[in-house]
Amino acid sequence: MTSTEEDPSGDAAFVQLRGISKRFGGTQALDDVTISLVLGEVHAFVGENGAGKSTLGKIVAGLYTHDSGHLLVGGEEVGRWDPLRAQRGGIAMIAQELSLVPELTVEQNVFLGIEHNTLGVMKGDLSARYAELESQAHFGLPPRVKVGTLRIADQQKVEILRALARDAKVIVMDEPTSSLTAHETARLHELILGLKAQGRAVVYVSHFLDAVLEVCDTVSIMRDGRLQRSGPVAAETKKTIVEAMLGKELAFSFPERAPAPDVAATPVLVLDALASDGGVVDASLVVRPGEIVGLLGLVGSGRTEILKAVFGVDRVTGGSLTFRGENIVTSSPRRSIARGMGFVPEDRHKEGLVLARSVRENVSLAFLRHFSTFGVVDGRKERREVTRSVTGLQMRPPAIGLPISGFSGGNQQKALLSKWLIGNPQLVILDEPTRGVDIGAKFTIYEAIIELARQGVAVLLVSSEHEEVLNLSHRAYLVSEFETRGEIDPATTTLDALLYKLFSVLEPKENA
Ligand SMILES: Nc1ncnc2c1ncn2[C@@H]1O[C@H](COP(=O)(O)OP(=O)(O)O)[C@@H](O)[C@H]1O
Ligand SMILES: [Mg+2]
């Protein structure tokens, strides 16, 4: 975005940067940057080191002045701008270089510079005010200890309390989590969401994109001093953000494989020489809890038919199908769902999702009986369960009332996956889960599949993109002519080796 373009959120913005540029000697730190900070929103600045994030924050907070462009606060263009004016204007920054006085106590630092605003605020009042701040932040810092004796993470908390004490409307946090533990980071995120709920704007500068995706509403992506784009986090994935930060497409990558399943656990699904009226001749396989098992074969090899036999779309005509220890003789999709199976079909638009309906309706459609007593739907239970399953898969935004058509392909697919988490299935069958979604959305689907396995669900996966099966599965079976033809180890099988097998060496099974 450039200064000459319209800035859609400009009107609602408390702080507007319009075409801001800043140079340090030979370095163009910022070049024509236009960004709006809206109250009640968490706004991420992301970019590689040196991209200009801190400079941007410092201009807002009055620590640097811009060379050209316009800075508006509360709708008015600022004239002279320095930290004190910024503070009075409702802006606070927690900089990377902390600005505390080591010899003073936590409490003194927190109120430094504001304790004498009204004539002689008494010490008791400060303590009461400190206690009030602490009740918001729950940092558990000792108020009377000298700041110089605290570790960096705790000093950072003092800075945050300072911003709170000044009742800042806009709080810029420049890489606040770089020295925090995971637990402290989680607390900070809660605090940020609390500040947002109070109607403040928080700028969150972070390299941790998972946190950005989780906590922020808006993201501005910087590269070499230029804004690449600024927009809703819901429209981004980790991959799209990284690509914008780097200015190039990433070589396609897969997330880390799901944790290895317990091989001693009782299998969820066992097929033994299964045959079906859908054409399956002889399928034998095992899927354990938390295990992702792939079926690898060429188009027309019978992979989808094996899935259909398992789910009860087709009838079993030979061999055996054992699900959760029970030998299944008669089956139907409805019975399979009741027994604890889920099936995400190949064409989700035709079979899976009703685009005009909300996420909530789409997710709960197959499971309304879970929320019903004598046919009456318990709306509260429905909302609670849908929210639980959707947040489990980190669907963004987790706004289950919105029509599903407004979500990205990856998030639509997540909605479909979350549908099968509601009934707490033991087995989820996925047929071509990434067909028709863009490359960025694929990654989020892979993460969702891995999350299913992590939660202990057994997953049976078919994909024509063999690399997906090789990179996601713990084990995989080769399928040819409607038969399983042995197993491969996906982690050690290359795509070339697989294709060679699929095209040339899949000889029919020897008759035993
Ligand atoms: N005070 C300064 N003096 C000189 N150069 C600076 C100063 N502050 C930042 N820069 C330069 O401006 C560019 C942007 O820096 P910065 O805003 O700190 O990036 P980021 O926070 O995204 O890592 C870098 O090239 C950096 O070296
Ligand atoms: Mg920085």
Side-chain angles (χ1 to χ4, degrees), residues 330-404:
T330 49
S331 187
S332 67
R334 183 184 292 267
R335 285 192 184 129
S336 297
I337 290 171
R339 287 177 180 132
M341 287 189 204
F343 185 40
V344 181
E346 208 176 324
D347 184 348
R348 66 179 178 282
H349 285 178
K350 206 166 72 200
E351 303 179 53
L353 291 176
V354 189
L355 290 176
R357 296 291 191 87
S358 69
V359 174
R360 176 176 57 77
E361 290 168 302
N362 269 288
V363 170
S364 67
L365 222 49
F367 290 99
L368 278 182
R369 58 184 177 77
H370 275 273
F371 317 122
S372 312
T373 319
F374 305 120
V376 180
V377 176
D378 177 347
R380 186 179 302 178
K381 186 175 181 202
E382 182 195 5
R383 273 192 299 279
R384 193 177 58 230
E385 289 277 296
V386 172
T387 304
R388 183 183 59 82
S389 78
V390 164
T391 39
L393 288 177
Q394 298 178 357
M395 190 164 162
R396 290 181 307 272
I400 64 171
L402 298 180
I404 198 140

Side-chain angles (χ1 to χ4, degrees), residues 8 41 213 216-220 229-237 240-241 397:
E41 271 190 17
L213 290 168
C216 301
D217 304 292
T218 306
V219 59
S220 290
R229 62 174 173 267
S230 190
V233 161
E236 303 282 354
T237 63
T240 59
I241 293 176

Side-chain angles (χ1 to χ4, degrees), residues 49-50 52-55 96 174-175 205:
N49 286 333
K53 308 176 297 289
S54 297
T55 304
Q96 278 172 298
D174 198 355
E175 303 202 29
V205 183

